[in-house]
Structure formats: structure tokens, C-alpha cells
Amino acid sequence: MPELPEVELVRRALAQEVEGVTIEAVAFSDFVVNGHQIGRRTIVKEDLGAFGPRVHGAAIRKIGRRGKYLYFIMEKSGEVFHMISHLGMSGAYFVRDSVESITDANYRKHWQVVFRLADGRALIYCDIRRFGEMATVGRMGDFPPFTRMAVEYTDPDSLPEFLDRAKAPANSNKAIKAVIMDSSVIPGVGNIYASEALFTAGILPTRKAGNVSVARLVDLHRAITDVFNLSIESGGSTISDYRGVSGEKGSMQDRFNIYQKKTCRACGGPIRTKTIATRNTFYCTRCQR
Ligand SMILES: [Zn+2]
């Protein structure tokens, strides 16, 4: 599943390709159409009859990111709205002349939404497992996941907000790993970067948040910030299904200290695994307390 750095890289690549371009037509795959016919709202989380006409003829003014969501600021006949997109487990965008020019056969086969652009190209959303989501809203605040989301890690208020929310009484008995994966504490931390940041900060993922001192939480926020920035510089991590807009692979997976490792790089001891917040967690009991 792409986490914040991978989504940020998608945003940067898409911004270069499609900002300023107008959408001339929208097409949906049979998976999406059939899903909607049986009331499942596959990928597009609003009626196709509303989504299609709204996006049709809209100019993509800017592409932003909130946590693991992309948002496209759209403008049509003087009205501004947002198209919000989550890549789910395996979503990917391609900008190509046509679906046929996507070289990866698995993605090509699983195209889901095609936005035909005025310059002749197409913005193509592919999703093999179809856990991705797309919807339009008038204002960002109209989208429920954004209402409780903490500010971005790059915002100067991120650290004080992180401390306040991680120290909230409701979180004191929860594992610190589960707490940092909550977007109301800090947005965008998924399973991989939670394990990596906790290792860097020397904090055991199972430790109750209430038993982590403020000084150590400051270290943890720093570790999250550093691992996000390092991953973005490294082109993100490519594990399982994730690919960038042009199909390239990142190299962050080569820089992991603990995720999917057997031996600790710092002390040489065995790395342990445990399920926390439904996800497999990697840690070293010698280096993390
Ligand atoms: Zn160790």
C-alpha cells in the first residue's frame, strides 16, 4: 500500500503532467460500471451519473496531497471543486496516449477510469485490487476523512499537535504504533514507516502511548519526518504493487532498517514480528524500549 512518500511522488509527477489541462471525456471500466449497478460504488464513491458530468469539461488547476489522499483542484465555468483520490492498496495513475500504451500488462488490464485530456493524452487510473477511492466535493472540509486529520508533517504546528494528540487520554492505553498510524495524530504514516520511525526513535511499538515521555515523542516525530523525507528523495519504496506515474521503481526499500528484515542492523540481534493494529510489525527488543 502506498504511504505518504509514495503518494507525494505521484502528486509531483502528475502535477508536472496534467496541471492546466482540461478533461474532455471520462470513461469507466466494466468493473466500475458493474459494481455501481449492484450498489457497490466500486472506486467512484458517488453516482457515476453525477461524477462523470461534473468532471467533464473541468480544467485541472492544481494537484495537492492531504495525508495519503490526492486532491485535484478543478475549475469549470467559474466554479471550483475538488476531486479526491485515494490509491487504496494498488492504485496507480498513468499519463499516456491510450490504455494500450501502458506497458505493464497487469495495470493495462485493470484500468478503471480514463480521463481523456484536451491535448490528446489520457490520465488513466488503474487499480488491480480495486480498493482505491475517487469522489468530488465542493470544499475540502466536505470530505469526512479531512475533518479530523492533523496538519501535514511539514507544517510548523505538526509537532505540538502530534504531542497533544498522542498524549490525549483516549490514546494512553493504545500501542504507540497504532497511535502514530492514526491520521488525527499525524497523517500518512502506514505500516512500513511506522516500523522504521519507531526503530530510529528506539521506541518499542507495543509500548503504551501514555508511557512514552514527551522527549521521546519529540524524537519520534523527528524520525517520522526524516523517514518521509528520505523516502521521497529515494523515489519511494517499491514493494508489491506500487509503481510511480511513469512505471519507475523507487529505492527506499533498500534503505529499510527493520521492515521485513531478519537481523538488526544496529546490534545484530534477531528482529521480532508481531501483529499490532492488524498489521505485521518489525522491531528489535535490544534497541527499542
Ligand atoms: Zn537491535
Side-chain angles (χ1 to χ4, degrees):
M1 179 190 283
E3 298 187 27
L4 183 148
E6 291 76 30
V7 178
E8 174 60 19
L9 289 161
V10 171
R11 184 198 70 76
R12 291 180 186 186
L14 281 181
Q16 282 192 343
E17 294 276 353
V18 300
E19 277 182 2
V21 182
T22 297
I23 295 167
E24 277 199 335
V26 188
F28 305 106
S29 71
D30 289 345
F31 290 115
V32 171
V33 172
N34 294 339
H36 274 254
Q37 276 170 355
I38 58 168
R40 269 204 195 150
R41 296 200 162 183
T42 304
I43 296 173
V44 181
K45 300 301 169 191
E46 62 189 290
D47 282 349
L48 298 182
F51 180 87
R54 192 173 200 189
V55 170
H56 178 109
I60 302 169
R61 289 298 178 204
K62 189 176 178 341
I63 303 175
R65 179 190 55 74
R66 269 298 270 139
K68 291 185 252 183
Y69 290 89
L70 295 167
Y71 60 89
F72 296 65
I73 301 180
M74 306 282 217
E75 187 214 326
K76 187 164 95 172
S77 30
E79 187 217 2
V80 170
F81 64 95
H82 299 83
M83 183 180 87
I84 292 165
S85 169
H86 193 288
L87 302 173
M89 302 291 285
S90 57
Y93 278 99
F94 297 87
V95 181
R96 297 285 188 278
D97 293 336
S98 64
V99 169
E100 290 68 39
S101 25
I102 296 170
T103 47
D104 185 310
N106 212 13
Y107 281 109
R108 189 168 63 238
K109 193 167 110 189
H110 292 278
W111 72 269
Q112 307 295 349
V113 183
V114 173
F115 302 91
R116 177 58 60 190
L117 305 174
D119 60 12
R121 297 176 304 157
L123 171 64
I124 305 161
Y125 179 72
C126 300
D127 196 337
I128 295 158
R129 298 176 65 183
R130 298 193 290 278
F131 286 112
E133 297 182 11
M134 219 177 264
T136 61
V137 290
R139 289 164 183 263
M140 293 278 281
D142 297 340
F143 187 63
F146 291 159
T147 55
R148 288 184 67 248
M149 194 179 281
V151 296
E152 291 294 315
Y153 80 100
T154 45
D155 189 299
D157 282 338
S158 177
L159 176 60
E161 196 173 62
F162 177 78
L163 297 176
D164 281 352
R165 296 189 176 179
K167 278 290 183 195
N171 285 328
S172 62
N173 279 324
K174 291 184 191 158
I176 185 68
K177 187 200 176 203
V179 170
I180 63 172
M181 288 176 69
D182 175 348
S183 67
S184 71
V185 176
I186 186 165
V189 180
N191 198 42
I192 297 172
Y193 297 115
S195 286
E196 290 292 321
L198 285 161
F199 176 76
T200 301
I203 300 169
L204 213 52
T206 48
R207 178 173 284 273
K208 287 180 178 176
N211 293 337
V212 182
S213 68
V214 169
R216 300 184 83 201
L217 287 173
V218 172
D219 288 346
L220 180 55
H221 187 272
R222 175 89 246 163
I224 292 168
T225 299
D226 287 348
V227 79
F228 278 170
N229 288 338
L230 180 66
S231 180
I232 291 168
E233 284 165 25
S234 309
S237 47
T238 304
I239 50 163
S240 66
D241 290 335
Y242 168 76
R243 290 290 183 285
V245 171
S246 48
E248 76 283 8
K249 292 186 176 188
S251 64
M252 184 62 192
Q253 66 279 3
D254 304 330
R255 311 180 80 153
F256 289 158
N257 285 309
I258 195 125
Y259 185 77
Q260 289 184 341
K261 301 287 180 200
K262 296 265 186 280
T263 311
C264 178
R265 282 190 178 181
C267 73
I271 284 173
R272 294 168 200 275
T273 64
K274 185 175 182 173
T275 302
I276 303 174
T278 77
R279 303 293 300 280
N280 205 7
T281 304
F282 297 81
Y283 58 98
C284 173
T285 51
R286 286 191 212 167
C287 297
Q288 291 169 264
R289 294 173 190 281

